[in-house]
Amino acid sequence: MKATIVTIGDEILIGQIVDTNSNFIAKELDRIGVETYEMISISDNKQHILNTFAQLQNKVDVVIITGGLGPTKDDITKKTFCDYFDDQLVVNPEVLAHVTELIEGFYKRPISQLNKDQALVPSKCTVLHNKMGTAPGMWMKKENTVFVSLPGVPYEMKYLVENEIIPKIVKEYKRPYIIHKTILTYGQGESLVAERIENWENNLPEFIKLAYLPNPGRVRLRMTARGTDKGELEKAIEENVQSLDAIIHDIIVGYEENETIETVVGKLLAKNNKTISTAESCTGGKIASLLSSVQGASRYFKGSVVSYATEAKVNVLGISQDLIDQFSVVSAEVAAAMALNVKDILKTDYAIATTGNAGPLKGDSNAEIGAVFIALATPEGVITEEFNFGQPREKVIDRATIKSLEILQKEILKIVQ
Amino acid sequence: MKATIVTIGDEILIGQIVDTNSNFIAKELDRIGVETYEMISISDNKQHILNTFAQLQNKVDVVIITGGLGPTKDDITKKTFCDYFDDQLVVNPEVLAHVTELIEGFYKRPISQLNKDQALVPSKCTVLHNKMGTAPGMWMKKENTVFVSLPGVPYEMKYLVENEIIPKIVKEYKRPYIIHKTILTYGQGESLVAERIENWENNLPEFIKLAYLPNPGRVRLRMTARGTDKGELEKAIEENVQSLDAIIHDIIVGYEENETIETVVGKLLAKNNKTISTAESCTGGKIASLLSSVQGASRYFKGSVVSYATEAKVNVLGISQDLIDQFSVVSAEVAAAMALNVKDILKTDYAIATTGNAGPLKGDSNAEIGAVFIALATPEGVITEEFNFGQPREKVIDRATIKSLEILQKEILKIVQ
């Protein structure tokens, strides 16, 4: 079963916003065995929308469309959607009651014609009720393809996908199973890894596809199996993970099922009843922000001192001015002291510290642009590592953040094993 | 002049990663007057890639493709790209020298055949040299359409777009001007705003397009003008901004030229020689992370205390346990104390504090899920505001972060005016 995701909106095409709706929908579809064949972003233009619909007709089973359902003149998706089906717009009484309740009851203002028009839907469509906003979702079939139109506001779109579309697809379509398994490797580049596992890769069964996902310093290997017998797929994946492990055991550090490093680390901390704090200079709070983005983070994340200015390192973290003068603010010694001190201040088992120069200009020290020291205080002591993450600034911050969490992950794994 | 952006990679279609490359490229193209007609994400499948190229042939002037240029088996873009042009792959000596230098000189390991193959390019293509990695960019014309293939690694792609593609398009193509102006309004919903400005909107000239970008609590109005006379476009935009201001002056709070709130606030702080710190509970360091993501942030951002656990509020920020017991940890009083104390500790002009319950479960207090108190300490005193940002968790954190920066922006604007 195949789907195409169409996002409509000039704001995407001029680069004003990043389209994250497609990613959310693709993930949800993948989970229930629906293959996303394409994602397409197009403008708020009637002919462009009609052409896109026509081009997808009977090529995929489902087209999921987001955007352009607002009450204003630039939102033309609903009218165009209706035209495509040669249908006419009629008032849906349930939607009208919901819109009225929202405007008059919640926002406490008189309902206008533009508001009321939100309750207009094509006469033949199945309405998907949007409890999160005024624009309903619309589900309509033509020949072999179902077209579903959803509002572009992420929270409204997510609500409708989770509560209406996924259950409806699960009920109405037979779908295969799609299973992914991602193996994390560290320390060797993708071409080297590819050479080592060449024979293994050549012997993978037809229904398992292998992908290399390189990041600086690590390569993730993703196996994807598609088929109708879930047990058989799982067995085949498991066997191939075993045989892969026999070949590159030295560089495999873990597995992920689409999990982020902050979720993996969070689970490890929670499971082992360990707590964490951070003292951040060049990462500016990003590590704390990632750690606290995970639900339930309060069980293991105690807090952070973002000591961006040197005086914050002295005043809040209690780093001695002598140490800074002797080694400079961007040094292994200062990173170690930051980690140890914040661990003491916030009474945690582990503490991460970063100090470096994210660039593009030199800061409070003479450190090279891109240079970062990461320290991890553990129940046993403190370790420090030096990196140069190059440029640009966002890359230095991102890589220092991810690397810090990876160092933490490795250390916890060591201790708990 | 029209462009289509094609991103290739199964990891996008299964939802493993969000495609941010398209957004970056679209923004760069928009800046030089190139209209992005479509963005398409497709799988690492030869026939799918060939069909997509054929479908775009002569429909747009430029097709910019990212992804699938790595050295491993799953990367098939280069071979397919070459097939589409009926060309053959030949070794490019300059690329080979660069790859050899990178592998042997920088990574200190013997070069392999897979590495060497990175220097293979279609014989008739223009090579775009990639200083950031091993995969070169390739520029090739067929009939009326140029196809450009780039690596999918964001830093490599960005380097090639900024240093090779944009200059080449500017040199070789005549392009119109595209000017955007976004007006920020607060406090009225989009349907209400639309009703108030209906006449004004109907009288906009043909070459100016208006878009409504609603967010909870605010609506951004984006005018986009396209044409060949830059002066005339700017004049028309300016006149219409003036006439719009006359109608909805009460709700207009500012303008943006695709700038993020952290950049706008950063400029305001730097320009007025003011400094900022934060004390964050429910936002977990996200405000600090955004503030410090802006280059030159060290001029105004001093640091932050992420007091996620209650004990961190007491021990690091010096909030009295009595105050917490009396009002609870999620309260206006505690938010105000956090802002005032961090302002003192880090010696800044302004300080933002947040405390709330991001959910999905209740935490250290009985506060409703979604409830957030934001406090801003200013040179004059402290203001606090209470919000309920609902659910899910990510929305609460994001909205509290943005709202905090908006409150800061408003206060600085007040004082400097």
Side-chain angles (χ1 to χ4, degrees), chain B residues 296-410:
Chain B
S298 56
R299 279 188 293 168
Y300 50 83
F301 175 57
K302 293 295 163 209
S304 175
V305 174
V306 182
S307 55
Y308 211 62
T310 299
E311 59 209 88
K313 293 183 184 72
V314 176
N315 296 342
V316 188
L317 284 174
I319 308 295
S320 84
Q321 189 64 53
D322 283 354
L323 191 79
I324 293 172
D325 291 343
Q326 193 182 346
F327 296 102
S328 105
V329 80
V330 178
S331 63
E333 288 76 8
V334 169
M338 287 168 67
L340 289 168
N341 289 12
V342 82
K343 179 174 177 283
D344 271 0
I345 294 168
L346 290 169
K347 302 187 181 61
T348 54
D349 300 302
Y350 293 88
I352 294 167
T354 61
T355 180
N357 183 357
L361 302 170
K362 291 205 173 187
D364 279 357
S365 85
N366 278 319
E368 283 306 307
I369 291 164
V372 176
F373 290 88
I374 298 174
L376 178 71
T378 71
E380 279 74 36
V382 63
I383 52 174
T384 60
E385 289 194 49
E386 181 178 1
F387 301 92
N388 191 312
F389 294 129
Q391 277 292 282
R393 182 179 179 82
E394 60 174 298
K395 175 177 163 186
V396 178
I397 297 173
D398 284 353
R399 290 194 55 193
T401 299
I402 299 299
K403 181 52 83 179
S404 299
L405 293 173
E406 286 174 356
I407 293 172
L408 172 63
Q409 179 192 22
K410 259 187 153 167

Side-chain angles (χ1 to χ4, degrees), chain A residues 130-266:
Chain A
N130 176 9
K131 288 194 187 156
M132 300 291 167
T134 58
M138 295 167 286
W139 172 292
M140 221 163 167
K141 192 165 184 176
K142 184 170 182 172
E143 297 163 21
N144 300 320
T145 303
V146 164
F147 292 79
V148 189
S149 172
L150 302 176
V153 179
Y155 307 109
E156 300 183 23
M157 177 279 299
K158 286 182 185 177
Y159 171 82
L160 284 168
V161 169
E162 286 173 347
N163 295 284
E164 298 284 341
I165 296 170
I166 295 295
K168 205 163 155 65
I169 291 175
V170 166
K171 207 174 127 197
E172 299 184 10
Y173 289 86
K174 230 180 123 58
R175 296 141 292 111
Y177 292 96
I178 305 178
I179 295 177
H180 305 286
K181 179 93 180 183
T182 301
I183 297 107
L184 307 173
T185 76
Y186 280 82
Q188 292 180 348
E190 62 173 332
S191 57
L192 195 55
V193 175
E195 284 162 34
R196 293 184 63 189
I197 67 173
E198 191 181 359
N199 278 334
W200 174 86
E201 185 174 357
N202 289 337
N203 287 322
L204 280 175
E206 270 292 309
F207 60 87
I208 297 184
K209 203 170 165 182
L210 182 74
Y212 292 77
L213 305 166
N215 289 95
R218 61 176 188 163
V219 177
R220 289 176 297 157
L221 299 168
R222 188 193 61 233
M223 284 193 270
T224 299
R226 284 192 171 81
T228 49
D229 184 337
K230 198 180 173 191
E232 194 194 316
L233 298 180
E234 285 171 344
K235 190 162 157 269
I237 288 276
E238 196 42 44
E239 282 170 6
N240 280 288
V241 167
Q242 298 290 341
S243 54
L244 180 68
D245 188 80
I247 306 165
I248 51 167
H249 185 74
D250 56 317
I251 55 168
I252 291 181
V253 291
Y255 303 90
E256 60 170 33
E257 251 99 344
N258 263 344
E259 283 195 324
T260 55
I261 182 80
E262 61 271 22
T263 311
V264 172
V265 163

